[in-house]
Amino acid sequence: MKRIELKSYAKINLTLDVGEKLENGFHNVEMILQQILLCDDVLVRWREDNKLPVTTVELSTNRHYLPTDERNLAYKAAMLMIDRYGKGHRGSIRIDIKKRIPVAAGLAGGSSNGAAVLHALNLLWELDLSLKELCDLGALLGSDVPFCIMGQAAANEQLTERFAGDPLVCHCALGTGTGTELTPLHGLKSHLVLSKPSISVSTAQVYQGIDDVDIPVRPNNEEMIRGLKENNWHLIEKNMVNVLENFTLKRYPIIVYTKNKIQNATNSGCVLMSGSGPTVFGLCRSREQAKAICAKMLADNKESFWTRTTW
């Protein structure tokens, strides 16, 4: 049996702007995604067995409420690889996921798990797929998967040598279109605190609702990109805008409470909801500040973490 274990990293949105609705029901977006150190562990094992009529997939997690079939993106990623490249690889795939990233939180936890499975089978089956090819596959699974593929190539030791020199390797990127057209960027170096209220938010509902609300302020992504490159915190703070907050914060007061509490603790404007929520993150001056604020947030939200961006 061959095996590989990868870190499956979460992401935050430093900006998120939403444009017009497309014919396929999705929206055009323009956003800046940043990988963070909070991660799941994804172990993929492969046992070749040409006597089996078909390749089988088995998945387990340490979260009893998560699906372990085709409703799970990691499972879907394995099935996609079997469909595309499994003709010469008959046997059994076993996926074990140790979850730390909150579920349905706006942090791309499921997308990151799917990305890790694509990477793992690319290595285990010795397919030698490029990052571009993996990202094209990932886009079939979800809009956050390609960025997770690129970020994992930058942060996992098992992958960094394999993809050394590939221009898509990055910890931060500008996402356009439906979020799958990605341009690597100079990333943010910062400690941060994350806090997820104990509610679930439907991404589809948020994007459906955003068409009917006023959006008074939008991020200037060109300014944010310049701020990241120059380490200009004035431009970074000014453009930390997620337009989905205009819908979600009005619908869920607990997210407003969480954001206000982090803003008061950090004493800065660098506090934002990630994705469609409900997780809120705040940038911190130091690891000690992030740990202290996390301790305060745990009194309200048990899924609170202190971490940092990857670089």
Side-chain angles (χ1 to χ4, degrees), residues 44 46 54-59 68-87 89 91-95 113-114 117-118 121 125 137 140-141:
V44 181
W46 163 247
V54 294
T55 295
T56 61
V57 179
E58 184 179 0
L59 186 148
T68 56
D69 54 20
E70 62 277 354
R71 294 170 293 170
N72 189 301
L73 270 177
Y75 188 101
K76 289 178 70 173
M79 295 302 296
L80 177 61
M81 291 292 278
I82 291 169
D83 179 62
R84 293 296 178 92
Y85 303 104
K87 188 174 182 180
H89 301 88
S92 59
I93 299 168
R94 167 79 191 204
I95 304 167
N113 296 162
V117 171
L118 295 181
L121 289 176
W125 288 354
L137 286 171
L140 301 175
L141 299 171

Side-chain angles (χ1 to χ4, degrees), residues 12 14 35 80 85-86 91 144 177 193 211 252:
I12 54 175
L14 298 178
Q35 185 177 249
L80 177 61
Y85 303 104
D144 285 332
V193 62
D211 292 325
Y252 301 99

Side-chain angles (χ1 to χ4, degrees), residues 11 13 17 22 24 26-33 111 118 131-150 168 170 173-184 207:
K11 64 84 184 168
N13 292 87
D17 198 6
L22 305 172
N24 60 10
F26 290 93
H27 287 76
N28 267 324
V29 297
E30 187 173 292
M31 58 187 178
I32 294 177
L33 306 110
S111 296
L118 295 181
L131 270 191
K132 175 66 167 60
E133 290 171 310
L134 287 170
C135 286
D136 288 345
L137 286 171
L140 301 175
L141 299 171
S143 59
D144 285 332
V145 179
F147 174 71
C148 294
I149 288 169
M150 293 159 62
L168 293 180
C170 65
L174 172 70
T176 57
T178 57
T180 58
E181 298 170 24
L182 295 159
T183 303
Y207 273 94

